[in-house]
Amino acid sequence: MRDTAFLRLWAGTTASGLATWALPFVLGLAVLHRELGAAGLGLVLAARTAGFLAAVAVGGVLADRHSRRAVVFWSALAAAAAAPLLALGLGRSLVLMTLAAALAGAGQGACRPAFQALTAETVAADHRQQANAAMTMAVRTSTLAGPTLTALLAAFVDAGTLLLGIGLLWLVAALLPGRGATAPRADAESADPAALAAAPRASLRAEFVDGIREARRHPWFLAGLGALTAVIALGYSATGVALPLVSRDRYGTEWVLAAAMTAYTVGALGGALVTARRRPRSQGWSALAGLALYGFAPLSLMLPVHPAVVVAAYAVAGIGIELFNVPWFTATQREVAPDKLARVSSLDFLLSYGLAPVGLALMAPAIGVFGVTPVLAVCAGACFLVPAAAALVPTARHFGRAPGPRTD
């Protein structure tokens, strides 16, 4: 945090994360104030997700083809421009709000892989794990403190003004980060200008496919991505639908829902603190074991246990997710070719987060047909077994090459 270049990148990433989190919360407030209907909220959020998925792959290609700093700037600027359009359409035009939400999602999606790659350019290799831990701690802190802050602001200003505030956060994300310095890339920017002019430019599709080839060179990456996708699409989706139902029907109070979600965030903060300095000998196996801990969340919802057990299970799941996330990001930045890093990162976001809406869409009908307990049992089993299977893949033990002697 004493490095000015990283501090600027950290602050910009934090602003973008807070803006990303705040949008659905502010739109929810608009529903409470009857400025937006429930169906309109679903349509706007769906448009944002569609914009994210459409732009994340393109953003990865552009971030490897051009300056990553420039991609962050223009994508965050697009998200900033969407905010006043959302405010203008609020209560007036659902079409305008839908288009603006798609633009906001596209800006968010395009900047995600660029931020990931820019971290590798800004931070030296031996400090990246601490840097990634600091990034995730900022996101978790925003998630924990954000509801209170937004609720306080909502007592004084309306939803339209809050939307403009989200636009200002995106402006901070656009303007604050500097250029990367420590990880030069073997891409078009470092090539000989004469040779670059003579060589035909590959299409966006061809360059994205080239990123897929790079991902396939790393069996640990494919295995870890498969495990992460399974946990998000099944575990996250199951608990996202089942936790409110269990809190209401089994315990008769919303307190369990709020306490469990808070415990998850607090646990994630603790996990990030641990991974900032922890260097296990078998880093990949340790990370996958942490990912599997999420299985305790759906498992606790299956059983007629005391509410404190559910809260504790969510805290363990939060710890585990960051025991995976931080080494996962660090290994990707270390092992993937620097000129393909943004494309591989975009593939990560595209699959792990792209399939989450599918899981959410299918989970409620599955619970309606089979019941809560069988669905939770299947999802808990997947959370435990898929990371265990991923650990058997060659190179998964260390997430790439075997590490040297530990220094801690």
Side-chain angles (χ1 to χ4, degrees), residues 236-249 257 298 301 314 363 367 372 375-376:
Y236 277 34
S237 298
T239 55
V241 173
L243 178 59
L245 298 176
V246 171
S247 182
R248 180 195 66 191
D249 298 339
L257 170 63
L301 298 178
Y314 269 80
M363 205 55 62
I367 289 175
V372 173
V375 171
L376 287 174

Side-chain angles (χ1 to χ4, degrees), residues 2 5 19 27 32 58 61 79 87 126 162 219 252 256 265 277 303 320 353 371 386-387:
R2 291 190 296 267
L27 292 175
L32 293 178
V58 176
V61 173
D126 55 343
L162 291 174
V256 177
T265 303
R277 295 191 177 278
L303 307 173
Y353 290 99
V386 177

Side-chain angles (χ1 to χ4, degrees), residues 158-182:
D158 58 15
T161 304
L162 291 174
L163 287 171
L164 295 178
I166 290 174
L168 291 177
L169 286 172
W170 277 114
L171 277 179
V172 171
L175 299 173
L176 203 55
R179 291 183 60 87
T182 63

Side-chain angles (χ1 to χ4, degrees), residues 5-317:
F6 172 71
L7 185 59
R8 292 177 61 184
L9 177 62
W10 175 85
T13 306
T14 302
S16 72
L18 185 58
T20 298
W21 169 87
L23 180 58
F25 191 85
V26 173
L27 292 175
L29 291 176
V31 173
L32 293 178
H33 296 156
R34 303 186 184 279
E35 297 173 290
L36 182 66
L41 174 64
L43 180 62
V44 170
L45 292 180
R48 187 179 75 149
T49 300
F52 177 92
L53 295 177
V56 67
V58 176
V61 173
L62 294 177
D64 281 338
R65 177 185 283 191
H66 304 292
S67 162
R68 281 146 183 183
R69 175 66 187 88
V71 173
V72 167
F73 175 78
W74 288 110
S75 57
L77 202 63
L85 295 177
L86 283 166
L88 182 63
L90 188 63
R92 300 181 183 89
S93 172
L94 183 58
V95 173
L96 178 59
M97 291 193 70
T98 302
L99 294 175
L103 178 61
Q108 174 195 342
C111 75
R112 285 301 105 196
F115 268 127
Q116 282 291 99
L118 195 56
T119 301
E121 290 188 354
T122 302
V123 181
D126 55 343
H127 292 296
R128 285 178 192 158
Q129 183 145 329
Q130 292 96 324
N132 288 317
M135 293 287 195
T136 194
M137 285 174 63
V139 173
R140 299 301 180 184
T141 302
S142 299
T143 303
L144 191 62
T148 302
L149 178 61
T150 306
L152 287 174
L153 290 173
F156 301 99
V157 298
D158 58 15
T161 304
L162 291 174
L163 287 171
L164 295 178
I166 290 174
L168 291 177
L169 286 172
W170 277 114
L171 277 179
V172 171
L175 299 173
L176 203 55
R179 291 183 60 87
T182 63
R185 293 180 288 147
D187 63 356
E189 292 180 339
S190 58
D192 177 69
L196 182 62
R201 171 69 77 179
S203 66
L204 292 176
R205 178 182 177 278
E207 292 197 9
F208 182 70
V209 170
D210 196 31
I212 296 176
R213 293 193 191 98
E214 173 64 21
R216 291 174 60 186
R217 289 183 54 244
H218 305 280
W220 64 268
F221 179 84
L222 297 180
L225 181 56
L228 178 62
T229 301
V231 169
I232 290 179
L234 296 176
Y236 277 34
S237 298
T239 55
V241 173
L243 178 59
L245 298 176
V246 171
S247 182
R248 180 195 66 191
D249 298 339
R250 181 186 299 165
Y251 301 108
T253 176
E254 294 82 9
W255 177 87
V256 177
L257 170 63
M261 297 308 298
T262 302
Y264 178 80
T265 303
V266 172
L269 276 170
L273 283 171
V274 170
T275 54
R277 295 191 177 278
R278 183 172 176 266
R279 298 291 191 279
R281 189 177 301 278
S282 300
Q283 190 177 64
W285 283 0
S286 176
L288 290 167
L291 182 63
L293 292 178
Y294 195 86
F296 286 108
L299 186 64
S300 71
L301 298 178
M302 288 173 52
L303 307 173
V305 296
H306 191 276
V309 176
V310 176
V311 175
Y314 269 80
V316 169

